[in-house]
Amino acid sequence: MSALLGSARGVRVLATSREWLRVTGEQAFPVPPLAVPGVDSSDDGRALDHGVAEYEAVTLLEERAVAVLPGFRVDRDNEEAVARLCRRLDGLPLAIELAAVRLRMLSLEQILQRIEDRFRLLTTKHRGALARHQTLRAAVEWSFGLCSPAEQVLWARLSVFAGEFDLEAAEQVCAGAGLAEEDILDAVSGLVEKSVVSPVQRGTTMWYRMLETIRQYGREQLAVRGEEALLRRRHRDYYLAGVSPLVRS
């Protein structure tokens, strides 16, 4: 592609990718998850406003639900459950579509009760779908497979952060066997480029966060590596020591 763009100055290429193509002149436009309703200050799961049906994630859920459950509509009786479900699924289109399929046999409340085991719950047998689009697990595993070994290790270890974290916290908590502290910066950068980790500007400092779906998969990988107890202790000790100026968990 670099050769093509270099020899044809007027050519423009529009491409979709999980990460940068790394060609001269490239400009990236991140595509965030679908917008989801917020919650009120008591954080008890109630919708923040009355325009729940106007959110992208809710619209997608309703459209896909109608296909398997004719007559389904988002209304006052179910809007809080719909909003909670869209938030729990991080506004991820594939997760929402797979959840809508389950409405053929489960109610919204039953899906919410089982959402902690989302990788088992969110599956489909649609014959026309790509293999990685038939289950939420397959989609996340596909992304995991695109990561370098260092990025995979860091993905698993970052799962101990329930909320936002900064680079210093990542370096202090996640460095160790298989991942040197000086390699954390490049590994974080790689995960950001692959949309596994999202950057969040807080004043003069860049913080980072993982969607709950991504984090849950990381926790599984951390357990497989036998490092969960160790990383949880490191996380605890780091914040108890008061090193970080801001704890988000």
Side-chain angles (χ1 to χ4, degrees), residues 49-202:
D49 52 61
H50 301 293
V52 170
E54 300 176 3
Y55 285 87
E56 299 166 337
V58 175
T59 298
L60 178 62
L61 178 65
E62 185 175 46
E63 290 177 351
R64 296 299 185 265
V66 168
V68 300
L69 195 66
F72 178 88
R73 292 291 183 273
V74 176
D75 53 31
R76 289 183 177 274
D77 293 332
N78 64 16
E79 65 178 7
E80 289 184 12
V82 167
R84 288 173 56 205
L85 180 59
C86 290
R87 287 196 301 272
R88 295 292 301 278
L89 296 177
D90 301 312
L92 295 174
L94 177 61
I96 292 171
E97 292 187 3
L98 293 174
V101 172
R102 286 299 189 186
L103 286 171
R104 183 185 292 117
M105 59 174 295
L106 298 173
S107 69
L108 284 165
E109 289 72 16
Q110 287 176 308
I111 292 175
L112 282 166
Q113 291 170 3
R114 296 169 178 266
I115 205 64
E116 288 300 326
D117 194 8
R118 66 189 67 194
F119 293 119
R120 176 176 297 179
L121 175 68
L122 302 181
T123 65
T124 184
K125 296 182 179 179
H126 194 293
R127 294 178 180 176
L130 294 173
R132 66 173 182 267
H133 292 165
Q134 293 190 15
T135 71
L136 184 61
R137 177 179 297 280
V140 179
E141 285 180 342
W142 177 72
S143 295
F144 190 74
L146 295 177
C147 295
S148 69
E151 291 165 355
Q152 291 179 352
V153 171
L154 184 59
W155 179 341
R157 293 178 180 177
L158 288 176
S159 67
V160 296
F161 294 97
E164 296 174 9
F165 56 90
D166 61 8
L167 183 59
E168 179 186 358
E171 290 172 335
Q172 295 300 314
V173 174
C174 299
L179 188 63
E181 183 175 334
E182 58 267 25
D183 295 329
I184 297 286
L185 175 60
D186 286 341
V188 169
S189 178
L191 292 178
V192 169
E193 290 185 1
K194 293 178 176 65
S195 302
V196 174
V197 169
S198 302
V200 182
Q201 184 78 41
R202 299 294 183 192

Side-chain angles (χ1 to χ4, degrees), residues 25 34-35 46-47 80 152 157 181 193 199 204 234 238 240:
L34 300 178
R46 290 180 293 174
E80 289 184 12
Q152 291 179 352
R157 293 178 180 177
E181 183 175 334
E193 290 185 1
T204 59
R234 286 185 182 175
Y238 176 77
L240 284 179

